Amino acid sequence: MFSRKGFFKTSMAEIAYDAEFSVGSLYQFFASKDAIYVALMEEKFEEYLALVQGEVNAAKGVLEKVDALIATKVRFFEKHRSFFRIYATEWGGSECSVKGALGEKISARREDYLALITSTLSAGI
């Protein structure tokens, strides 16, 4: 829903309908639309980061690590196009992003991801 309509145009009622929950039931699990968004972003980004780290760490040489970094990202985003649209909005400079809502946890994990990219590419250089 966030991928199709964007964060600001998605309502709790629409999320509840798509999830086959009542709005009241949804509020039992999440305090707000922001909380749902942050939970989804954290979960999917953790999955992505774990996959990339595993593939890069398993690669033997520097060129294989660089290849693993790029190939894993491409495969993951091809498989998870909806997440890619949200990811690109969040870190692509869009004025419609809700970066502030993402919190410290995902920001720290993104720093881990950027450090992995930096170290992998620096070793390749």
Side-chain angles (χ1 to χ4, degrees):
M1 181 69 64
F2 291 128
S3 171
R4 287 191 317 265
K5 295 183 72 176
F7 176 82
F8 295 107
K9 292 182 181 177
T10 299
S11 71
M12 286 292 277
E14 292 168 321
I15 295 168
Y17 179 81
D18 272 9
E20 299 179 357
F21 280 95
S22 69
V23 174
S25 294
L26 196 57
Y27 276 112
Q28 289 179 353
F29 298 103
F30 299 97
S32 66
K33 178 173 73 170
D34 290 26
I36 294 171
Y37 185 82
V38 169
L40 289 170
M41 288 296 292
E42 285 179 351
E43 179 182 322
K44 193 54 76 177
F45 194 76
E46 285 292 333
E47 179 185 342
Y48 170 61
L49 183 57
L51 181 65
V52 171
Q53 286 175 325
E55 293 292 322
V56 169
N57 291 339
K60 298 296 182 211
V62 173
L63 291 177
E64 290 83 9
K65 288 183 182 296
V66 172
D67 182 59
L69 180 71
I70 296 166
T72 304
K73 183 174 189 169
V74 170
R75 279 192 315 271
F76 186 86
F77 284 136
E78 282 178 346
K79 184 177 179 182
H80 304 281
R81 290 178 186 267
S82 293
F83 175 68
F84 175 72
R85 283 191 291 274
I86 295 169
Y87 177 90
T89 298
E90 285 304 316
W91 289 291
S94 171
E95 293 180 24
C96 298
S97 76
V98 288
K99 288 180 186 137
L102 293 179
E104 293 179 24
K105 180 180 178 182
I106 198 164
S107 294
R109 297 301 286 155
R110 186 159 195 284
E111 290 300 319
D112 293 342
Y113 173 66
L114 294 175
L116 175 66
I117 290 173
T118 301
S119 66
T120 302
L121 294 179
S122 293
I125 293 169

